[in-house]
Amino acid sequence: MATVLHLHELSKKYGSLQAVDRLTLQVEAGSIYGLLGPNGSGKTTTLGMVLDVIRPSGGSFLWFGRSISKETKQRVGALLETPNFYPYLTAKANLQVVADTKQADHRHINKMLDMVGLGTRSHTTYKGFSLGMKQRLALAAAMLNDPEVLVLDEPTNGLDPQGIAEVRDLITRIAAQGKTILLASHLLDEVEKVCTHVAVLQAGKLKANGPVGDILSTKDQLVISAEELAPVLQLLERLPYIVQFVQDKNYISLTLSEGYTSTDLNRDMFAQGIVLSQLLVRRKSLEAQFLELTQK
Amino acid sequence: MNLIRSELRKILQYPTFWVIMAIYVLLQVLLIYFSSNFMISGQSLGKSLYDFPNLWMRFSYIAYFFNLLLGILVIVLVTDEYSYRTLRQQVIDGRSRTEAVLAKFYVSLGLAAIGTVFLLVMGLLFGLIYSSDTSIGAIVGKIDYLSYFFVQAVGYMCLAMFFAFLIRKSGLAIIAFLAWSKIVEPIIHYQIDDRIDRFMPMKVFGSLTPTPGQDIIDGLTTPTMALSPAWAVLPALFYIGLLVLASILLVRLRDL
């Protein structure tokens, strides 16, 4: 698979604050790559650097294997922080200005306005738009010259539930067209619902990255109970793939190491003549996982 | 071309632009119309003010004061791009930083052209009505002052543009622009030798439209060392280039 974006030891320092610290990662074509981290973790700074508006203090990045240029920029549609438009211009006039900049075909403008559901509001000035409409206009602008890659920074930030649903629906529809999406978010469930890959950032450092399934949900928690807990506890001590276990009144919760499932545990218990009365796989809450990841 | 079309889209639909231009035109018409009542040495200037060919010199001197207004308009247009974050978006979308600055320089050229054409129309209007001599020779006699005014207007707007890119906030940039052109540099002029200060930017721009009747004043006091308009063009162009270059460097070196 082709690499769309390659970051190598990318860093940004603001005075004594290390906003982004030697970040290395790759975004493959066709993936929906989530940049996950709390506020102030360096997500926007990272996107700002690869979008050429913030100068890196160190490291490098390549778009499609090349350094950034007018040509690579035309293959990327981006929305950084807030939707940025002229408040006194209409939705359509704003997109005309964007089309001039991107040297995009002006005939696409109406199509894009329809796609984001603003077709009937194309002659309303931007300042009269709700936040959700502004965000959708920004998506229309980003999509204007049919880019291969879409970079979205907190696209649902500040929206009401309906707005969030609309924007997420748009993102999934765009992704279904086979585009690569790089999405920054502090919302775990957003990343989990929308993304295929994720990089977890904290204080500018990369904490973990890989496919969403690997990062956000491998170490499921098991809850077991049996008539007699004592032999179970004894066995758990000896089983090599138990990461940790805690007894809680009349049940035990435990974590397995990677590659093992509840089946393995059940088989070993049964082989030792222990019959479990309960075996429950409980997915760890995303918040708990996130805190675990960032507190490492 | 794309660059200019884009700027036109933004400006022509911007109410602030039309308001400032209306003020520019209105105030200038008023001043031109009523300046014939000014008294100099107990004598009204009268209709002789509108005599060709000196009319061009007088009118461009009047228009000189309104360059401040054009400068403020340029500051508003530039700082808007920062407050709306549209400069940032343009760079993300593929505009180079140099192009972003040049776009505003072209806007300045356009505004200077509008100001010059306006002055030409006003000159012809008042001159043909009131001038005692309306022969072609008299009309085109000192019409080159219009071109000096054009260079001067561009110079003022480039200074304004530089402060706008430097400071990025409209209020502060306007204060800096006014303070430099009307207070700080004039104070420096008093402190240093005339032979040197005549080459300073505001002095050079000012020399392009000399005070009418300067020759009379010079006869009474020591003559000024100011450059003649024709001689001031070259240093003025130099400062314009310098200001545009400095603006480009500023935008290229900083985060957006």
Side-chain angles (χ1 to χ4, degrees), chain A residues 137-193:
Chain A
L137 185 64
L139 278 172
M143 293 287 295
L144 206 52
N145 56 346
D146 198 23
E148 299 156 50
V149 185
L150 213 52
V151 179
L152 305 172
D153 184 14
E154 309 265 4
T156 58
N157 210 7
L159 300 184
D160 58 19
Q162 198 199 338
I164 291 176
E166 282 168 0
V167 167
R168 277 194 196 150
D169 173 55
L170 252 175
I171 294 172
T172 4
R173 263 161 50 205
I174 292 165
Q177 298 169 19
K179 299 198 185 302
T180 309
I181 298 180
L182 178 54
L183 173 97
S185 179
H186 65 271
L187 302 172
L188 279 147
D189 76 322
E190 179 162 280
V191 169
E192 206 219 3
K193 274 181 192 148

Side-chain angles (χ1 to χ4, degrees), chain A residues 25-64:
Chain A
L25 49 90
Q26 289 191 20
V27 179
E28 304 296 336
S31 61
I32 306 182
Y33 202 103
L35 214 50
L36 180 65
N39 295 327
S41 56
K43 302 185 298 284
T44 298
T45 308
T46 304
L47 294 185
M49 285 192 283
V50 299
L51 292 173
D52 193 30
V53 293
I54 296 174
R55 302 166 59 83
S57 335
S60 60
F61 61 91
L62 295 174
W63 281 103
F64 315 104

Side-chain angles (χ1 to χ4, degrees), chain A residues 52 55 73 81 86 100, chain B residues 9 81 88 91 97 255:
Chain A
D52 193 30
R55 302 166 59 83
K73 282 181 181 183
E81 277 182 290
Y86 300 92
D100 286 340
Chain B
R9 276 190 216 286
E81 303 275 3
R88 185 182 216 200
V91 170
R97 290 161 197 240
D255 292 343

Side-chain angles (χ1 to χ4, degrees), chain A:
Chain A
M1 236 196 294
T3 303
V4 163
L5 176 63
H6 182 101
L7 269 63
H8 181 71
E9 307 239 307
L10 200 61
S11 305
K12 178 69 182 180
K13 238 180 149 156
Y14 289 113
S16 62
L17 176 78
Q18 190 77 47
V20 175
D21 195 2
R22 284 166 297 147
L23 189 59
T24 298
L25 49 90
Q26 289 191 20
V27 179
E28 304 296 336
S31 61
I32 306 182
Y33 202 103
L35 214 50
L36 180 65
N39 295 327
S41 56
K43 302 185 298 284
T44 298
T45 308
T46 304
L47 294 185
M49 285 192 283
V50 299
L51 292 173
D52 193 30
V53 293
I54 296 174
R55 302 166 59 83
S57 335
S60 60
F61 61 91
L62 295 174
W63 281 103
F64 315 104
R66 271 168 275 177
S67 31
I68 195 160
S69 66
K70 203 165 255 201
E71 187 265 329
T72 66
K73 282 181 181 183
Q74 283 185 354
R75 297 165 70 182
V76 180
L79 151 58
L80 190 62
E81 277 182 290
T82 47
N84 304 324
F85 294 104
Y86 300 92
Y88 56 88
L89 292 182
T90 63
K92 191 171 181 173
N94 265 305
L95 289 194
Q96 283 172 335
V97 172
V98 175
D100 286 340
T101 312
K102 292 189 170 185
Q103 297 173 356
D105 192 334
H106 282 251
R107 282 171 300 185
H108 289 162
I109 291 174
N110 287 330
K111 205 169 72 190
M112 284 303 138
L113 283 170
D114 286 335
M115 184 191 79
V116 298
L118 292 172
T120 54
R121 305 299 296 273
S122 62
H123 294 291
T124 309
T125 51
Y126 175 74
K127 61 180 170 226
F129 277 10
S130 71
L131 191 55
M133 292 161 82
K134 289 177 178 176
Q135 206 71 258
R136 280 184 281 148
L137 185 64
L139 278 172
M143 293 287 295
L144 206 52
N145 56 346
D146 198 23
E148 299 156 50
V149 185
L150 213 52
V151 179
L152 305 172
D153 184 14
E154 309 265 4
T156 58
N157 210 7
L159 300 184
D160 58 19
Q162 198 199 338
I164 291 176
E166 282 168 0
V167 167
R168 277 194 196 150
D169 173 55
L170 252 175
I171 294 172
T172 4
R173 263 161 50 205
I174 292 165
Q177 298 169 19
K179 299 198 185 302
T180 309
I181 298 180
L182 178 54
L183 173 97
S185 179
H186 65 271
L187 302 172
L188 279 147
D189 76 322
E190 179 162 280
V191 169
E192 206 219 3
K193 274 181 192 148
V194 177
C195 297
T196 57
H197 293 71
V198 63
V200 181
L201 280 186
Q202 201 206 10
K205 285 194 173 68
L206 184 65
K207 288 290 177 176
N209 70 328
V212 165
D214 292 359
I215 302 295
L216 292 182
S217 45
T218 40
K219 290 179 195 147
D220 288 337
Q221 227 172 14
L222 295 185
V223 177
I224 56 173
S225 51
E227 297 285 308
E228 283 289 327
L229 283 182
V232 177
L233 288 171
Q234 275 175 10
L235 181 58
L236 287 178
E237 293 275 9
R238 287 183 285 128
L239 287 176
Y241 53 84
I242 306 294
V243 177
Q244 56 165 349
F245 62 94
V246 189
Q247 190 182 354
D248 241 334
K249 278 186 256 168
N250 51 354
Y251 60 89
I252 301 163
S253 49
L254 50 94
T255 327
L256 304 181
S257 55
E258 220 162 313
Y260 291 89
T261 66
S262 51
T263 317
D264 300 305
L265 182 72
N266 200 13
R267 190 192 307 116
D268 287 339
M269 288 285 168
F270 205 71
Q272 296 296 318
I274 301 168
V275 181
L276 297 173
S277 61
Q278 181 183 251
L279 173 59
L280 189 75
V281 182
R282 186 195 283 161
R283 299 197 66 186
K284 207 182 292 177
S285 81
L286 286 168
E287 279 68 25
Q289 286 181 53
F290 185 68
L291 289 175
E292 213 170 86
L293 278 172
T294 53
Q295 277 162 6
K296 258 185 223 168

